Amino acid sequence: MPHDPVPAGFDPAEMVAVLRTLVEIESPSSDPAALAACAAEVATLGERLLGAAPEWVEVDGHPHLRWRWGPGAGGPAGERARVVLLCHLDTVWPLGTLEGWPFVVSDGVATGPGAFDMKAGLVQGLFALASLGADGRDGVALLVTSDEEVGSRTSRGLIEAEAAGAAAVLVLEPSAGAGGALKTVRKGVATYQVDVEGRAAHAGLEPERGVNALVELAHQALAVTGIGDAAQGTTVTPTVAAAGTTDNTVPAAARLRVDTRAATPEEQARVDRELRALRPVLAGARLAVRRETSRPPLPASASAELFVLAQRVADQLGMGPLEQAMVGGGSDGNLTAGLGIPTLDGLGAVGGGAHARGEHVVVAAMPRRAALVAALIGALRQPAAQPS
Ligand SMILES: [Zn+2]
């Protein structure tokens, strides 16, 4: 694969130049002004490469971009594009990260904050769509959202509406592993908060009159961990805890955050049930369990047919066999798979180190992945090839 010729129409130098432009406009999920600046640049790039300006959809200060071609573009309400591409422009990196870690290309590898997750995937998606020409984009929609890294609270409605009725959702998140494996199974992710209510008392004078919320929390942290099931790949992890006010007071309140991951909807439902069934151990303590965020799993059944199609397309392009991987992290592909829409994820950059300093992109793979996405869209637009 490393010695494959560069697919016609994809100039790696041009792709890297666009990647540099996007990485050098930092875009942490929590900074509306930074997100708007990056979104404006993506809109300009899209207009140049695709010949059309996006719709700019702002939700609670988050700018999201939407391109639609053919059905769905000004068509009757409810008519939807047949293929939806999902990208996000936000990153996990705070403003200023670029100062200590500038965008650099060396030895065929590009690095910089957000390069791998997922600005390179976004660049590949834009070039893939550009290569198809206006006719080839008929029936395609591209969403570029700006809150994926913080749970897609403001974009979820847009994503779900666009995906409804689509034949396929292609997610340009980074691939897995050095070989560029597609992500065909993603665990569902839900986070919870457990609030513990005890009763304050002086720790020296009359501690027996108190109900120690911190001790109760300790019991609950252990109970929560026990809900995990390694054999099923289900993890339940206490992540953040807080309790107490002063050194000499029995704590009246405590809170625990819990991260949960499960590969099937059934396991996710079981974890939810068991967390909600937690009961206090100490007499007089009270518990409240609240789910904060939730993305359903992307099960193998959602990606299987698309993976077979991608494999066939890759063969035709002479790209050799594609690999697939199950990953613990969620993406917007979980949302569309949760609606029963065929979804294939990890079609973006080849490289590594997502969310870690030094995340990087294999430059030579950028044209190949763009060509793969373009050919996959082409195959999906032939009715016989669509997954049912
Ligand atoms: Zn991402």
Side-chain angles (χ1 to χ4, degrees):
M1 205 163 137
H3 301 296
D4 289 349
V6 175
F10 300 101
D11 175 6
E14 193 191 348
M15 295 180 83
V16 167
V18 173
L19 177 60
R20 173 188 293 276
T21 303
L22 291 184
V23 171
E24 290 183 346
I25 305 174
E26 292 179 290
S27 48
S29 313
S30 58
D31 190 317
L35 293 170
C38 191
E41 183 60 35
V42 173
T44 302
L45 283 168
E47 204 166 346
R48 174 163 74 76
L49 291 165
L50 307 173
E55 298 166 71
W56 183 290
V57 186
E58 193 162 312
V59 184
D60 290 350
H62 278 269
H64 309 301
L65 305 177
R66 179 172 57 204
W67 279 267
R68 282 175 175 158
W69 293 274
E79 193 173 354
R80 296 296 174 204
R82 290 155 66 204
V83 180
V84 178
L85 266 63
L86 292 184
C87 294
H88 66 84
L89 60 83
D90 58 317
T91 79
V92 298
W93 300 102
L95 285 187
T97 304
L98 206 51
E99 278 167 43
W101 175 23
F103 182 82
V104 171
V105 184
S106 99
D107 288 336
V109 171
T111 183
F116 182 59
D117 186 4
M118 61 163 280
K119 287 177 173 175
L122 170 55
V123 172
Q124 291 163 200
L126 291 171
F127 276 75
L129 289 169
S131 76
L132 290 169
D135 285 351
R137 292 192 288 270
D138 195 45
V140 178
L142 166 65
L143 274 184
V144 184
T145 61
S146 65
D147 64 350
E148 194 276 342
E149 297 292 4
V150 288
S152 307
R153 190 180 55 79
T154 72
S155 59
R156 183 172 189 156
L158 275 181
I159 292 164
E160 293 185 340
E162 203 60 36
V169 173
L170 307 180
V171 187
L172 297 180
E173 289 280 356
S175 59
L182 304 188
K183 294 172 175 171
T184 51
V185 178
R186 279 189 185 269
K187 291 182 187 179
V189 185
T191 55
Y192 291 82
Q193 177 157 318
V194 180
D195 283 298
V196 183
E197 191 186 318
R199 188 166 57 242
H202 194 294
L205 300 179
E206 44 183 13
E208 70 285 354
R209 301 192 60 152
V211 176
N212 194 318
L214 174 54
V215 172
E216 179 64 44
L217 179 146
H219 285 293
Q220 296 304 326
L222 295 174
V224 155
T225 305
I227 296 172
D229 182 345
Q232 301 241 44
T234 305
T235 58
V236 180
T237 309
T239 52
V240 179
T245 49
T246 69
D247 279 356
N248 57 2
T249 304
V250 174
R255 104 188 125 76
L256 180 65
R257 305 281 293 191
V258 183
D259 174 288
T260 74
R261 306 196 177 229
T264 64
E266 294 72 25
E267 266 298 279
Q268 200 173 41
R270 177 189 68 81
V271 168
D272 186 78
R273 261 195 325 274
E274 293 194 21
L275 282 170
R276 291 179 196 279
L278 290 170
R279 293 292 172 261
V281 174
L282 302 183
R286 285 218 287 251
L287 295 182
V289 178
R290 182 170 83 229
R291 187 170 63 198
E292 298 275 310
T293 65
S294 175
R295 280 183 178 135
L298 190 170
S301 57
S303 60
E305 290 184 53
L306 281 173
F307 184 74
V308 170
L309 182 62
Q311 190 73 267
R312 200 165 76 218
V313 164
D315 283 346
Q316 285 161 2
L317 293 173
M319 287 184 184
L322 295 173
E323 296 170 28
Q324 54 181 322
M326 166 173 172
V327 294
S331 88
D332 289 334
N334 293 62
L335 303 180
T336 58
L339 296 177
I341 311 296
T343 300
L344 189 57
D345 203 336
L347 283 160
V350 177
H355 296 200
R357 205 174 168 92
E359 61 172 289
H360 59 276
V361 175
V362 177
V363 172
M366 293 184 73
R368 288 203 297 273
R369 299 296 273 207
L372 176 65
V373 169
L376 191 50
I377 294 169
L380 282 162
R381 292 182 64 254
Q382 293 165 10
Q386 285 183 14
S388 51

